[in-house]
Amino acid sequence: MSIVLVFGGSGFVGCHVAKAFRRAGYRVYAASRSGNRSHELLQAEVIPININLNEPATFHPYIEKADIVVDATMGEGLKIVVDATIEIAKATQHKKTLLMTGGAGIYVTQPGELISERSQKKKEFVNAARIDVLLEALKSPHVKPVGFLPPIVLGEDMGRWGNAFFEYVKLHDDGSAVVDLYGDPNRKMPAIHVRDLAAAYVLAAQNINAVAGEEFVVGSDGPSHTWEEVQRRVAELMGANPAKISVKVREPANFVESFRNFSGGLNCKKIHDLLGWKAVHGDYFYELDLYYAAWKAHTAKSTH
């Protein structure tokens, strides 16, 4: 049985990736600093481990025995994970599969152009250094690397992405609502369901000899509606009267909002052609009611 080690295993994406690998028959370790979701992971037959990326002794032994290493830290941890995996793989001559997570929001396109692996990077963007690490790791001869570039990730508990959709609407007792709309109100922001993303990781690992060294833009079809239309729909789901919804447009106030302020469809032809992967979940606008209900239920559960 192959062993999988998922860094960021207590996070939204990492947890779902870990569970997807276990459902596919792998022995899975989910590494995190916080230990959050440990009970949930154990119920899914995933082994949670507490690590500190600043203390190699807490995670190097797990990399040594892993066949597949996944980075889903979504932060500066990628370089630590990549460097350690390549170093250990080189020393042990065990050519491990290395699956890395970037983000489609790092790329910029011309109007009407789809985001693809060939799109130009925003060099000034804060997260650009993370993508540079990913792209450099794809050249390593000591591992079998694959990079994933998803947009916003939705579904089930929604993780931090729930905030992007459902916490910018202020609802009033009279049925009116104000939407705090940051960035371009006409942008069409792509997304992917977390289970579709997790399935892509598993599929890549199962076909690693065919795709090692590749990067993949990965996402759902769409989007069909502007961000303002999405947020107005959210306000309606929260109980607002459509005739009483007002929108306040402003500039992004922080890194997270800047990251989300991108627009465009995704060109996923490469992952379709090489892996046969296609998103099961469709345009998120038409499933906002399900996403909102799931996020609300999870939020209520976490407060009890």
Side-chain angles (χ1 to χ4, degrees):
M1 180 186 297
S2 295
I3 295 175
V4 179
L5 174 61
V6 180
F7 285 91
S10 66
F12 174 48
V13 172
C15 178
H16 284 280
V17 169
K19 289 191 285 187
F21 269 105
R22 178 56 195 149
R23 287 193 299 268
Y26 296 85
R27 185 175 182 86
V28 185
Y29 293 85
S32 72
R33 291 175 300 176
S34 67
N36 293 337
R37 293 181 181 254
S38 291
H39 185 66
E40 177 185 350
L41 289 164
L42 283 169
Q43 287 181 320
E45 303 168 8
V46 173
I47 305 167
I49 56 173
N50 290 334
I51 65 158
N52 184 336
L53 287 177
N54 295 317
E55 298 178 9
T58 65
F59 62 90
H60 275 205
Y62 292 98
I63 293 179
E64 289 175 4
K65 66 181 180 180
D67 302 293
I68 301 166
V69 177
V70 181
D71 174 80
T73 57
M74 303 298 179
E76 297 179 357
L78 175 63
K79 180 170 174 52
I80 297 174
V81 172
V82 166
D83 288 349
T85 302
I86 292 176
E87 176 188 337
I88 291 170
K90 182 179 179 181
T92 61
Q93 296 187 334
H94 180 186
K95 200 168 186 179
K96 302 172 186 295
T97 293
L98 176 61
L99 307 180
M100 301 167 289
T101 310
I106 194 71
Y107 292 99
V108 62
T109 60
Q110 299 300 316
E113 179 186 354
L114 296 177
I115 297 171
S116 74
E117 296 82 4
R118 296 180 298 278
S119 297
Q120 180 184 356
K121 279 198 310 176
K122 303 173 188 174
K123 282 291 187 181
E124 75 282 4
F125 203 69
V126 176
N127 210 30
R130 179 179 174 87
I131 304 301
D132 287 337
V133 171
L134 183 153
L135 294 177
E136 187 63 29
L138 291 176
K139 305 173 186 176
S140 173
H142 304 295
V143 291
K144 299 176 182 179
V146 175
F148 292 93
L149 306 172
I152 282 182
V153 186
L154 306 178
E156 303 198 12
D157 58 277
M158 293 280 283
R160 62 181 177 176
W161 298 117
N163 302 339
F165 277 74
F166 307 129
E167 292 195 349
Y168 285 86
V169 175
K170 185 174 182 180
L171 190 65
H172 300 287
D173 293 337
D174 65 354
S176 64
V178 177
V179 176
D180 180 21
L181 197 66
Y182 58 88
D184 179 5
N186 294 314
R187 72 184 187 272
K188 293 185 176 181
M189 194 162 56
I192 185 172
H193 194 284
V194 68
R195 289 219 176 194
D196 290 334
L197 178 58
Y201 282 78
V202 175
L203 197 58
Q206 292 171 335
N207 297 274
I208 192 61
N209 290 330
V211 297
E214 300 287 355
E215 59 173 317
F216 294 114
V217 168
V218 55
S220 303
D221 294 335
S224 60
H225 292 70
T226 67
W227 190 236
E228 179 174 344
E229 290 171 328
V230 169
Q231 287 296 288
R232 285 182 176 276
R233 175 60 178 148
V234 168
E236 291 179 34
L237 291 170
M238 295 175 70
N241 182 333
K244 293 184 176 182
I245 298 173
S246 59
V247 176
K248 178 182 177 183
V249 180
R250 61 173 174 81
E251 292 296 314
N254 51 51
F255 160 70
V256 175
E257 291 182 353
S258 296
F259 175 80
R260 296 169 181 161
N261 185 34
F262 73 98
S263 180
L266 303 178
N267 180 352
C268 300
K269 185 177 186 302
K270 185 176 179 181
I271 194 169
H272 293 167
D273 290 348
L274 294 185
L275 280 175
W277 177 92
K278 185 170 176 59
V280 174
H281 300 80
D283 189 333
Y284 64 84
F285 182 83
Y286 299 104
E287 297 185 328
L288 278 173
D289 57 335
L290 299 178
Y291 292 140
Y292 177 64
W295 175 78
K296 189 174 180 181
H298 177 79
T299 303
K301 180 181 177 182
S302 64
T303 58
H304 287 80

